[in-house]
Amino acid sequence: MQQHLDPVTVAIYALSPLLGQIAAEFAGPYAVIILGSTLGAAWALGRRDPDTKISAVIYFARLIGTAILIAWGLAAILSHYTGLQSNWLLAPVAMLIGGIGDDWPRVGRWLLTRIGRIFERRTDSGSKS
């Protein structure tokens, strides 16, 4: 008998006694996303100004909600390019989403800059100094 110890399978097994097998199969992946994004959000909350920590519950809810909506997609994309199973990528992706916190605009600008550089190299349209 082969054991599967990826985070999603473990969450399904842990939730089965509480929810039943069928419901646990749906809830397990989201439990992993919520746990990962909560851990990431805790790291991001530590970077925030202490005066804004009163709104920590709203901050956590926003980051966890973001992770719930996009973690599956990002894990699937990474799985396609890395060859790793998405069940193994789900927790780190959710943690990364939560850990980025309020720095998403900066990450977006960085990503657009990188894509622009790749485009310039491929089209040889960069500035020639």
Side-chain angles (χ1 to χ4, degrees):
M1 181 172 126
Q2 183 180 1
Q3 291 184 344
H4 298 281
L5 294 176
D6 62 89
V8 173
T9 303
V10 171
I12 290 170
Y13 287 141
L15 291 172
S16 288
L18 297 171
L19 304 175
Q21 182 65 32
I22 294 172
E25 288 184 23
F26 289 101
Y30 290 102
V32 170
I33 292 171
I34 290 168
L35 183 62
S37 61
T38 299
L39 184 58
W43 283 97
L45 183 63
R47 293 192 312 263
R48 289 186 73 178
D49 180 22
D51 294 336
T52 63
K53 289 185 181 180
I54 294 173
S55 62
V57 173
I58 295 169
Y59 183 71
F60 269 70
R62 184 168 41 96
L63 292 175
I64 292 168
T66 302
I68 287 172
L69 292 175
I70 66 174
W72 267 115
L74 287 178
I77 291 168
L78 286 174
S79 176
H80 176 75
Y81 287 106
T82 63
L84 299 170
Q85 292 179 348
S86 61
N87 284 355
W88 282 103
L89 293 170
L90 201 54
V93 166
M95 185 175 164
L96 181 67
I97 291 167
I100 290 173
D102 285 336
D103 294 330
W104 280 105
R106 191 167 39 170
V107 170
R109 285 190 297 274
W110 175 84
L111 186 61
L112 287 174
T113 301
R114 302 295 287 171
I115 291 170
R117 287 180 187 163
I118 291 169
F119 180 74
E120 286 176 354
R121 270 186 277 172
R122 290 190 182 214
T123 61
D124 199 27
S125 64
S127 63
K128 301 191 192 236
S129 303

